[in-house]
């Protein structure tokens, strides 16, 4: 009996509720598909990707015509475009939209996961009856097994909105349409399984021929990579169609391949011992073993073989996805949270030495006006009463911030001597409090360094991993690179940067010493032997320096701001000779020579730092002076902590630049640059294809997957939808609502705007009245209608 296609089932589901519009109005489905404003929003800018207003009108008319049909048979024929049924232009456009979107929505992968988790994957059912290798075996009847997963699958695809009245069973109409989606995946699995059955002999022959070529011919980069792919495919096929003979032969081929990889100097996990010695000539491998070739071959081998143990897999690795592209940041759990995911706040605080739940220097209370103890300590004299009155609230770190500090410390310190870089890239999403987390990390180091200097017990997390790259902690200051938006005025005392979080010490409660701005002092007055920094009474590990890395367009020159140049760039340019023209084969990390007359001790670059924190690190991703300047200051750091909410800003090469800030040696090699060029070329070719960006996403996914293998222990990434130790979302945000209002311009506002427009127009027409930068700034302040933003400094 004919049945709906996926496109037809989604049309049927659209009209299954009152009001119509599901599942496109359900939040979970919106997140999966990226269609967040429904199929037919009134605003053209919010239409689904790939659909124009004309397309949307045709598709909606098709939906209306479908709803008007009386019988189910007529609806089925009309939706599928069957022969003899009425033709509608919207039907083809709708089918094309669903067909193109299906791989990117990754619905098939979710369905396969549910089939496996319920033990009803077709390959699993055949394997249970020893019929997986039998082409004449009766194929499992989908009607017997698909209903078993519909409710659980409905929760994953549609969310709780699909279950009315808090029931645990989907409505009949929804179940019927969802079953069509599962049936499509069921049929796909059957086709792939049958195709693979017919190629078993060819797969084995290709693998044996590839290994034989390595034995009789001089090994080349191309032949080794071909052997890796062929043996990997044979290994997968033998696991799926296992017989004692071909399984043993496939494992022997894998063992021989592992011997080849070890001959190239590649570390192999889960080593198999071959029955016979490797016949691949060692001399040929030595001639092949250039750094570039070995790195490329090792990356390919790791992609196919160095994967997590299959002990936890529920079934054969068949048909997880057909041409499907996973998200660029998809992984099982959050990066860097492998240990902390199950730790409670109390465990984290005890391990970090935060016995009161906060770092020792943190303020206990927050005033509702935003004031802190550095502003007026008397506001906190009646803390208990003000707490009850709601004037004060207790300050606390969120669980994910405590877990983040613990993860970073665990990544930096090891229980065995190690040469791994002492740095972590913090890639938490916006809104998770990376700044507070970094300050808590600095506080932890202050606590640990103080304990070491006074011969007290260090925090538990250090005691369990006492050996690090540069332990004991050096008595050097901290430094934090922050964007301009964090700083709005001069900084008071070396401890003042923590004033938002830190409690004022007793001796300073009645005094607020401040540092002069650069309008009244110079670098000598700060860095000189009798300057402010060296005369500070704080111990070196208690000194925190904050410098902006953004360009200032302000009227005042504040601390660490040199005119319109940021402090770090100014120091770099003043002490190093940058070539006028970029060398042809220059690498992004090639440091310019230092000027013979430069005195680094009077700059940021002439001092050692215990920790350097770089906020908004993606601003340093592009090769050039800024990238070199931050690499230069990081050379002076024991611990590197770049932070960015967008580690993948424009493409895979951004991740390589971020990991260069961490200090991972691989990203300072010619191999890394060659891979970046290959990735860029592959992405350019993919952009020429008319497939709604699927090929581009696939290429980016491939590159990112390769980069991920080198970030273990150096990457921390959580999102607003990550889960805490209880399984709750870290930041439960209310549903998004859009309120449209009318703004009435007052006469005096209109007069001011017109005056600004006239001034801007006159400035543009006559360059004699303004510098090019002023003209550019003025134009940027003008809106599309020619109006000027009245918040602009030029107003």
């Amino acid at each position: 009996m004919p049945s709906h296609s996926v496109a037809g089932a989604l049309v049927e589901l659209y009209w299954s509720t009152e009001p119509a519009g599901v599942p496109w109005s359900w939040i979970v489905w919106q997140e999966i598909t990226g269609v967040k404003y429904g199929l037919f929003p009134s605003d053209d800018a919010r239409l689904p990707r790939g659909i124009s207003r004309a397309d949307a009108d045709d598709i909606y008319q098709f939906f209306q015509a479908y709803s008007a049909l009386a019988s189910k048979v007529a609806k089925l024929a009309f939706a599928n475009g069957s022969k003899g049924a009425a033709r509608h232009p919207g039907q083809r456009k709708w089918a094309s939209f669903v067909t193109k979107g299906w791989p990117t929505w990754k619905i098939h992968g979710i369905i396969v996961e549910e089939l496996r988790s319920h033990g009803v994957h077709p390959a699993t059912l055949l394997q249970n009856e020893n019929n997986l290798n039998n082409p004449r075996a009766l194929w499992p009847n989908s009607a017997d097994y698909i209903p078993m997963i519909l409710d659980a699958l409905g929760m994953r695809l549609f969310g709780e909105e699909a279950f009315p009245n808090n029931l645990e069973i989907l409505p009949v109409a929804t179940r019927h349409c969802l079953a069509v989606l599962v049936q499509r995946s069921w049929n796909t699995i059957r086709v792939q399984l049958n195709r693979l059955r017919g190629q078993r002999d060819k797969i084995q022959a290709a693998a044996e021929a590839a290994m034989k070529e390595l034995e009789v011919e001089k090994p080349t980069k191309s032949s080794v990579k071909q052997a890796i792919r062929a043996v990997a495919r044979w290994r997968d096929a033998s696991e799926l169609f296992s017989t004692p003979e071909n399984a043993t032969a496939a494992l022997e081929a894998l063992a021989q391949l592992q011997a080849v990889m070890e001959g190239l100097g590649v570390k192999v996990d889960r080593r198999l011992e071959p029955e016979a010695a490797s016949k691949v000539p060692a001399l040929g491998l030595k001639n092949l073993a250039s750094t570039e070739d070995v790195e490329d071959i090792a990356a390919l081998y790791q992609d196919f073989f160095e994967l997590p143990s299959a002990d936890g897999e529920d079934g054969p690795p068949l048909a997880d996805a057909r041409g499907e592209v996973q998200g660029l940041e998809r992984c099982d759990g959050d990066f860097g949270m492998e240990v902390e995911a199950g730790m409670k706040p109390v465990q984290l605080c005890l391990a970090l030495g935060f016995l009161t739940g906060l770092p020792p220097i943190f303020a206990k209370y927050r005033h509702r006006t935003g004031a802190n103890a550095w502003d007026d300590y008397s506001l906190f004299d009646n803390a208990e009463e003000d707490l009850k009155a709601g004037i004060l609230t207790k300050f606390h770190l969120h669980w994910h911030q405590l877990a983040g500090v613990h993860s970073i410390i665990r990544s930096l310190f090891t229980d065995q001597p190690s040469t791994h870089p002492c740095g972590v890239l913090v890639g938490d999403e916006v809104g998770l409090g990376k700044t507070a987390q970094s300050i808590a990390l600095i506080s932890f180091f202050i606590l640990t360094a103080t304990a070491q200097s006074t011969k007290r017990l260090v925090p538990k997390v250090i005691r369990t991993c006492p050996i690090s790259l540069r332990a004991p902690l050096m008595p050097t200051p901290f430094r934090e690179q922050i964007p301009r938006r964090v700083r709005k005025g001069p900084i008071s005392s070396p401890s003042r940067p923590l004033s938002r979080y830190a409690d004022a010490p007793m001796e300073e409660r009645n005094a607020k010493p401040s540092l002069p701005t650069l309008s009244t002092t110079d670098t000598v007055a700060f860095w000189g032997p009798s300057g402010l920094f060296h005369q500070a009474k704080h111990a070196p590990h208690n000194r925190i320096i904050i410098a902006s890395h953004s360009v200032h367009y302000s009227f005042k020159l504040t601390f660490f701001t040199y005119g319109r140049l940021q402090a770090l760039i100014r120091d770099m340019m003043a002490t190093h000779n940058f070539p006028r023209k970029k060398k042809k084969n220059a690498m992004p990390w090639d440091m310019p020579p230092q000027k013979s007359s430069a005195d680094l001790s009077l700059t940021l670059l002439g001092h050692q730092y215990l920790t350097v924190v770089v906020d908004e690190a993606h601003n340093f991703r592009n090769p050039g002076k800024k990238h070199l300047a931050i690499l230069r200051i990081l050379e002076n750091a024991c611990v590197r902590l770049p932070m960015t909410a967008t580690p993948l800003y424009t493409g895979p090469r951004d991740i390589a630049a971020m990991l260069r800030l961490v200090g991972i040696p691989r990203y300072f090699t010619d191999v890394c640059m060659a891979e970046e060029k290959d990735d860029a070329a592959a992405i350019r070719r993919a952009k020429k294809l008319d497939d709604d960006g699927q090929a581009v996403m696939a290429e980016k996914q491939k590159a990112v997957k390769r980069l991920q293998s080198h970030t273990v222990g150096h990457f921390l990434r959580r999102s607003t939808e990550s889960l805490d130790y209880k399984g709750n979302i870290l930041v439960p945000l209310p549903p998004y609502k859009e309120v449209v209002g009318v703004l009435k311009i007052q006469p005096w506002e209109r007069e001011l705007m017109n005056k600004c427009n006239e001034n801007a127009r006159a400035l543009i027409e006559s360059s004699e009245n303004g510098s090019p930068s002023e003209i550019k700034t003025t134009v940027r302040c003008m809106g599309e209608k020619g109006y000027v933003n009245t918040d602009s400094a030029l107003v």
Side-chain angles (χ1 to χ4, degrees):
M1 179 179 179
S3 61
H4 267 300
S5 63
V6 171
L10 290 175
V11 178
E12 177 69 20
L13 186 57
Y14 183 90
W15 298 108
S16 65
T17 61
E18 184 64 36
V22 301
W24 309 96
S25 60
W26 290 337
I27 295 176
V28 174
W29 183 262
Q30 290 176 349
E31 292 297 326
I32 291 175
T33 61
V35 182
K36 298 187 177 182
Y37 302 101
L39 290 175
F40 312 110
S42 57
D43 187 354
D44 290 357
R46 294 182 172 181
L47 285 169
R49 183 179 179 183
I51 293 183
S52 65
R53 173 54 60 187
D55 294 338
D57 292 341
D58 288 342
I59 292 173
Y60 184 69
Q61 293 173 9
F62 164 65
F63 275 42
Q64 293 279 17
Y66 175 92
S67 178
L69 295 175
S71 68
K72 293 183 178 180
V73 175
K75 287 183 175 180
L76 178 62
F78 182 66
N80 292 342
S82 302
K83 184 176 180 180
R87 296 284 182 174
H88 195 287
Q91 188 272 335
R92 294 192 304 274
K93 294 180 179 180
W94 173 245
S96 175
F97 170 73
V98 174
T99 301
K100 291 181 178 180
W102 193 257
T104 61
W105 300 340
K106 301 181 283 292
I107 306 297
H108 177 72
I110 296 175
I111 293 173
V112 169
E113 290 175 6
E114 287 301 320
L115 289 171
R116 283 186 167 175
S117 65
H118 286 76
V120 293
H121 190 286
T124 303
L125 296 173
L126 291 172
Q127 196 174 46
N128 292 340
E129 299 180 1
N130 297 321
N131 284 328
L132 190 57
N133 298 305
N134 183 6
R136 298 183 179 180
L138 182 65
W139 182 257
N141 186 1
S142 60
D144 295 334
Y145 301 103
I146 289 179
M148 298 171 63
I149 73 166
L150 291 181
D151 296 314
L153 180 62
M155 183 62 73
R156 288 194 61 180
L157 293 180
F158 304 143
E160 296 180 353
E161 293 176 284
F163 296 80
N165 303 322
N166 295 323
L167 296 177
E168 297 182 358
I169 300 177
L170 286 171
V172 174
T174 307
R175 290 176 66 86
H176 173 74
C177 296
L178 184 57
V180 175
L181 275 60
V182 182
Q183 184 65 54
R184 180 189 187 278
S185 292
W186 193 275
N187 296 340
T188 299
I189 294 171
R190 183 172 188 174
V191 171
Q192 291 179 331
L193 181 61
N194 290 334
R195 183 186 300 125
L196 192 57
R197 277 172 174 163
Q199 294 181 349
R200 279 184 298 165
D201 295 338
K202 293 182 180 179
I203 292 172
Q204 180 175 350
E208 291 175 343
M211 292 301 298
K212 188 68 175 177
E213 182 180 353
L214 293 181
E215 297 175 7
V216 299
E217 301 289 343
K218 180 181 178 180
T220 64
K221 177 181 176 180
S222 176
S223 62
V224 174
K225 294 176 72 172
Q226 182 180 355
I228 291 173
R229 296 188 182 95
V231 173
R233 198 176 184 195
W234 187 15
R235 186 269 318 261
D236 292 342
S238 67
E239 290 178 353
L240 188 59
F241 303 99
S242 57
T243 63
E245 294 79 11
N246 68 7
T248 301
L251 291 177
E252 176 63 17
L254 177 56
Q256 293 287 343
L257 180 62
Q258 289 178 340
V260 172
M261 301 309 297
E262 288 185 339
L264 291 171
V266 178
K267 183 180 178 181
V268 175
D269 294 335
R270 300 190 297 275
R271 181 72 165 89
L272 301 175
E273 291 298 331
E275 295 182 0
S278 176
K279 299 179 182 179
V280 180
L283 181 60
L285 293 176
K286 291 181 179 179
N287 293 333
L288 170 68
S290 68
T291 302
E292 180 180 358
D293 290 344
V294 172
E295 290 284 351
D296 195 12
I297 291 171
L300 182 66
Y301 178 83
Q302 290 170 356
D303 286 343
F304 281 104
F305 295 102
E306 299 300 326
L307 301 175
S309 173
D311 295 341
E313 295 193 9
D314 297 326
L318 173 67
D320 284 353
R322 184 180 66 85
E324 309 233 0
V325 182
Q326 295 184 342
L328 290 179
E329 296 174 348
R330 172 162 181 163
C331 68
D332 295 329
D334 297 314
F335 283 106
M337 295 292 289
E338 298 81 8
V339 174
E340 292 74 19
M343 296 181 68
K344 299 179 180 179
V346 174
Q347 294 174 296
L348 293 169
C349 288
L350 291 176
L352 296 171
F354 301 165
L355 302 183
T356 63
L358 286 173
I361 67 171
F362 266 48
K364 297 179 181 178
Y365 307 108
R366 187 202 311 269
H367 198 277
R368 65 183 180 185
T369 63
N372 55 56
W374 292 91
D375 298 317
D376 186 355
Y377 198 84
S378 63
L379 294 174
F380 301 86
D381 288 341
N382 301 316
E384 297 299 330
E385 297 179 5
D386 290 345
L387 274 174
K388 296 179 182 179
I391 299 175
L392 298 180
T393 55
K394 286 189 175 182
F395 189 90
H396 71 281
L397 290 172
H398 294 284
W399 172 84
H400 64 270
Q401 292 171 324
L402 291 169
V405 174
H406 189 280
S407 173
I408 294 170
I409 297 299
R410 179 175 54 82
S411 300
L412 298 178
F413 290 82
T414 61
D415 56 0
Q416 298 292 332
S418 174
T419 58
H420 78 289
C422 208
V424 174
L425 173 61
V426 180
D428 291 341
E429 278 191 358
V430 174
L432 293 183
K434 293 187 293 296
T435 302
Q437 179 177 276
S438 67
I439 296 176
L441 176 69
I442 291 174
S443 303
F444 171 85
F445 282 131
I446 291 175
L447 172 66
T448 305
T450 302
Q452 286 184 343
S453 62
T454 57
K455 297 183 179 181
R456 296 181 182 179
L457 200 62
V458 298
K460 181 180 178 181
V461 66
I462 298 293
R463 296 199 303 271
T464 56
C465 298
I467 302 176
S468 74
L469 179 61
R470 295 176 182 173
L473 296 177
M474 298 175 62
T476 50
F478 300 89
R479 184 168 180 279
E480 186 167 7
Q481 280 285 120
I482 62 172
R484 174 178 177 271
R485 58 180 172 80
V486 179
R487 296 185 53 248
K488 298 182 180 179
I491 297 177
S492 300
S493 91
S495 294
R496 180 62 188 226
L498 294 179
S499 61
R500 179 181 176 187
Y501 304 95
D503 197 3
M506 181 66 70
E507 63 271 16
E508 299 198 30
R509 290 178 182 177
N510 299 321
K512 285 185 10 179
S514 61
L515 291 177
T517 64
L518 283 180
S519 58
T520 59
T521 189
D522 56 20
T523 57
V524 176
F526 184 81
W527 290 112
S530 58
L532 296 170
F533 179 78
H534 291 288
Q535 293 300 314
K537 297 180 181 180
H538 300 279
H541 59 259
N542 282 337
R543 302 178 192 177
I544 298 98
I545 301 172
I546 292 185
S548 171
H549 65 54
S550 298
V551 177
H552 285 235
Y553 289 101
S554 57
F555 294 105
K556 291 184 178 180
L557 297 178
T558 54
F559 184 55
F560 280 152
T561 306
Y562 299 73
R564 292 191 174 185
L565 284 177
Q566 49 270 56
L568 181 59
I569 304 300
R570 169 61 186 266
D571 285 351
M572 186 70 181
M573 294 178 64
T575 57
H576 291 75
N577 288 312
F578 283 91
R580 294 185 178 181
K581 293 184 178 180
K582 183 180 178 181
K583 295 181 180 179
K584 183 177 181 180
N585 297 321
M587 295 299 180
W589 56 85
D590 287 344
M591 203 64 61
Q594 181 179 323
K595 293 181 179 179
S596 58
S597 60
D599 185 358
L600 293 183
S601 65
L602 299 180
T603 69
L604 293 167
L605 305 175
H607 302 271
Q608 295 296 315
Y609 302 98
L610 176 56
T611 302
V612 171
V613 181
V614 185
D615 201 3
E616 307 294 352
H618 58 269
N619 289 322
F620 297 93
R621 70 188 187 278
N622 293 327
K625 294 178 181 179
K626 291 181 67 174
H627 190 67
L628 288 172
I630 202 66
L631 288 178
R632 179 63 181 82
I633 192 69
L634 287 170
E635 289 178 359
N636 298 354
C638 294
V639 175
R640 305 168 175 224
L641 197 71
M643 302 192 303
T644 175
T646 52
L648 186 65
Y649 199 82
T650 58
R653 78 169 190 171
D654 295 338
I655 297 181
M658 294 295 97
L659 296 175
R660 199 174 297 133
L661 301 187
V662 175
I664 299 178
R666 187 178 189 279
Y667 297 98
F668 293 86
T669 62
D670 295 343
V671 174
C672 174
M673 294 305 299
E675 289 179 347
E676 287 186 17
K677 293 179 181 179
D678 291 343
D679 293 339
I683 292 174
R684 285 195 300 269
R685 290 192 296 268
K687 287 181 178 179
K688 298 179 181 180
L689 303 178
D690 185 15
D691 61 352
D692 287 340
Q694 294 182 35
V696 173
M697 182 64 72
E699 290 296 338
K700 289 184 176 181
Q701 169 67 25
K702 179 181 177 182
V704 170
K705 184 179 179 181
R706 185 189 69 249
L707 293 169
Q708 285 178 355
S709 63
H710 302 282
T711 64
V712 177
H714 302 289
F715 189 33
L716 175 64
R717 170 74 173 177
R718 282 84 56 86
S719 69
T720 54
E721 295 185 355
S722 295
L723 304 180
D724 62 13
Y725 70 103
K726 290 184 177 180
N728 299 324
I729 294 178
L730 294 184
V731 184
L733 299 176
Y736 170 80
K737 293 183 180 180
E738 185 174 292
V739 179
V740 180
V742 178
L743 177 64
K744 184 178 180 180
I745 303 297
Q746 299 298 321
W748 67 270
E749 293 175 316
R750 187 175 297 279
E751 182 180 354
L752 176 60
M753 294 169 63
N754 291 336
K755 182 179 179 180
C756 291
N757 290 335
E758 293 174 0
N759 293 338
R761 191 175 296 109
L763 184 63
I764 294 172
E765 292 175 353
S766 175
S767 60
E768 297 179 357
N769 296 330
S771 65
S773 61
E774 290 176 326
I775 295 175
K776 182 178 179 181
T777 304
T778 303
V779 174
R780 287 174 58 188
C781 292
M782 299 178 64
E784 295 179 358
K785 302 298 183 181
Y787 299 131
V788 174
N789 182 354
T790 55
D791 291 334
S792 171
L794 294 176
V795 177

